[in-house]
Amino acid sequence: LGVFSSSFSTGVSDLFRSGYESASKHFNPAEVEVNVAGRSFLVTGANSGIGKATAKEIARRGGTVHLLCRNKERAEVAQGEIVAETGNQNVFLHIVDISNPKEIWKFAEKFRNEHKLNVLINNAGCMVNNRELTEDGLEKNFATNTLGTYILTTALLPLLEKEADARVITVSSGGMLVQKLNISDLQSGSGTFDGTMVYAQNKRQQVVLTEQWAKAHRNIHFSVMHPGWADTPAVRSSMPDFYQKMKNTLRTEAQGADTVVWLAVSSEATRLPSGFFFQDRQPVPTHLPLASTHSPPEDEEKLMEVLEEFSQKFKSSSPG
C-alpha cells in the first residue's frame, strides 16, 4: 500500500477517522435528516461494511431498501438486524453474485418487472490478491468491480429513467488516483499481477463509467465517491498488513458510509453537477496535481464499447 500513502502525502490524513472528524464539523446535519418513505433504494454488497451501514441509514429514514448480496446466510442476518434496528419492514433481499454477468441480467430482468427504483448504490466490490478466474473465464476483480457494476447499472437504467430524482452512486476508492485508465489489459493477463493495483484500476474505471453515464443520461444524477479508509471486513481481509498497522486510525463503517447516504438522500447532492467524484460530501478532483493519469476521450469511449460487448455476450446466453 506504499503507493497510496506516498501519492496521498498531501491528503492521505484526510482519509482516516481524523479527516472525517474535521470534515464533519462543516456538515449540515439537516441535509440528511430527511424522510425518504415511498422511495426505493437498491444497495449491492449490503450484508456488511459500508453497504450495510448505508442500507441501515436509508431504512432508518423510511426508504424501501433492496439488499443485493452474494451470501444468503450472511444477508439474512444483515436483513434481520436492519429491520430490528430501524423498525422498517420494507427491507428486501436478493441473492446475486455480482461477478456473474448472467446472474445479474436474470436478476435485473425480474426486478424491472416487479419493483420501481429511485436510487442504485453500487457498493459491492472485491480485492482478490491473486489472479483468479470466474466460471465465465473473467478475472475476478474486473468481473465484480467493473463489469458487474456496468451490467447492473445499464440493466436498471430503464427503471431509473421512469422516476423523478433518480440517482446512481458508485463506491470507488482514492486508490484510483494512482492509476491511469488502461484499456489494453482489462483482465490483467500480462505482467505481474498486483491485486491492489488491479483494484485501483477497476476503481479508476468506475470513475470513467460515472462520467460517461452522466453525459449520456441527463435525467439521472450519477456520482462516485471515496469512503476514506474504514474498518470494514473487506479491508481486514484484503489488506491485513495495512489493517494491523492502521486499525486504530480507521473510520467507522458509518463514517465511511456518510457520503453515500448524503448522495442518496439529500437534495443538496443533486444541486451539484452529475458525474462528480466525492469525498466527505465535497466534490474532489479525479486526478492528483501533475499526475499523468488523464486519458484520451477515445480510451474512455473504448472502455464503454468493450463493456457493452461483454455485457451483450452474457445477455444473449441468459435463459429467457
Side-chain angles (χ1 to χ4, degrees):
L1 226 105
V3 323
F4 287 158
S5 33
S6 59
S7 60
F8 278 134
S9 51
T10 49
V12 71
S13 58
D14 299 348
L15 304 176
F16 293 92
R17 191 190 313 147
S18 56
Y20 175 83
E21 285 163 356
S22 81
S24 64
K25 294 189 178 110
H26 308 284
F27 292 172
N28 173 359
E31 291 178 4
V32 291
E33 285 166 11
V34 286
N35 181 340
V36 289
R39 281 173 70 76
S40 166
F41 299 77
L42 175 65
V43 186
T44 69
N47 61 302
S48 72
I50 285 164
K52 185 169 90 175
T54 299
K56 197 176 282 180
E57 289 305 318
I58 291 168
R60 206 167 261 151
R61 289 159 175 76
T64 296
V65 186
H66 296 275
L67 313 175
L68 193 149
C69 309
R70 192 179 51 191
N71 179 303
K72 190 168 186 286
E73 290 69 38
R74 285 199 296 241
E76 284 170 348
V77 170
Q79 179 189 29
E81 186 187 311
I82 293 168
V83 170
E85 280 192 34
T86 64
N88 184 339
Q89 300 297 317
N90 294 320
V91 180
F92 304 99
L93 201 49
H94 309 272
I95 303 303
V96 181
D97 182 349
I98 288 281
S99 73
N100 183 323
K102 297 187 201 87
E103 229 179 272
I104 301 173
W105 272 120
K106 218 160 75 179
F107 158 76
E109 282 160 16
K110 188 172 186 293
F111 190 88
R112 285 200 311 238
N113 293 327
E114 296 173 5
H115 304 283
K116 68 170 212 168
L117 184 62
N118 298 91
V119 182
L120 168 62
I121 297 168
N122 290 311
N123 162 73
C126 68
M127 187 193 289
V128 181
N129 288 315
N130 299 303
R131 191 169 188 275
E132 289 175 29
L133 300 182
T134 67
E135 60 183 52
D136 298 303
L138 299 166
E139 190 275 317
K140 205 169 238 171
N141 292 294
F142 168 77
T144 307
N145 302 326
T146 303
L147 186 60
T149 299
Y150 178 85
I151 295 179
L152 183 65
T153 305
T154 42
L156 293 174
L157 282 173
L159 206 50
L160 289 157
E161 296 272 9
K162 293 179 188 169
E163 300 297 329
D165 189 14
R167 309 180 188 193
V168 175
I169 299 139
T170 300
V171 177
S172 177
S173 161
M176 69 92 195
L177 289 165
V178 301
Q179 287 282 323
K180 176 181 178 175
L181 178 67
N182 172 11
I183 51 170
S184 65
D185 187 21
L186 289 175
Q187 309 259 9
S188 313
S190 55
T192 325
F193 186 90
D194 177 340
T196 311
M197 285 300 108
V198 172
Y199 176 80
Q201 172 65 214
N202 295 161
K203 296 293 162 179
R204 166 64 70 192
Q205 290 159 357
Q206 290 178 342
V207 170
V208 173
L209 286 180
T210 299
E211 292 169 347
Q212 295 293 318
W213 282 326
K215 281 183 217 162
H217 304 275
R218 300 285 185 176
N219 56 341
I220 298 174
H221 191 272
F222 292 88
S223 54
V224 59
M225 60 77 68
H226 181 23
W229 298 118
D231 187 344
T232 64
V235 167
R236 291 195 284 272
S237 66
S238 336
M239 305 197 286
D241 302 345
F242 171 77
Y243 175 72
Q244 279 311 321
K245 213 161 78 181
M246 298 298 190
K247 59 184 178 191
N248 299 325
T249 63
L250 297 179
R251 297 174 174 214
T252 64
E253 292 173 345
Q255 289 171 342
D258 174 80
T259 295
V260 189
V261 175
W262 181 81
L263 287 165
V265 306
S266 80
S267 58
E268 280 66 26
T270 51
R271 293 197 189 120
L272 292 157
S274 184
F276 276 11
F277 181 61
F278 286 85
Q279 182 186 312
D280 290 335
R281 303 191 190 182
Q282 290 291 326
V284 291
T286 54
H287 298 277
L288 291 166
L290 309 179
S292 49
T293 49
H294 295 264
S295 42
E298 51 271 29
D299 281 11
E300 304 192 344
E301 283 153 26
K302 180 71 178 156
L303 175 68
M304 302 308 274
E305 282 164 31
V306 171
L307 293 176
E308 185 56 28
E309 277 162 35
F310 267 122
S311 146
Q312 291 304 324
K313 190 173 89 180
F314 291 108
K315 185 184 187 179
S316 53
S317 59
S318 77

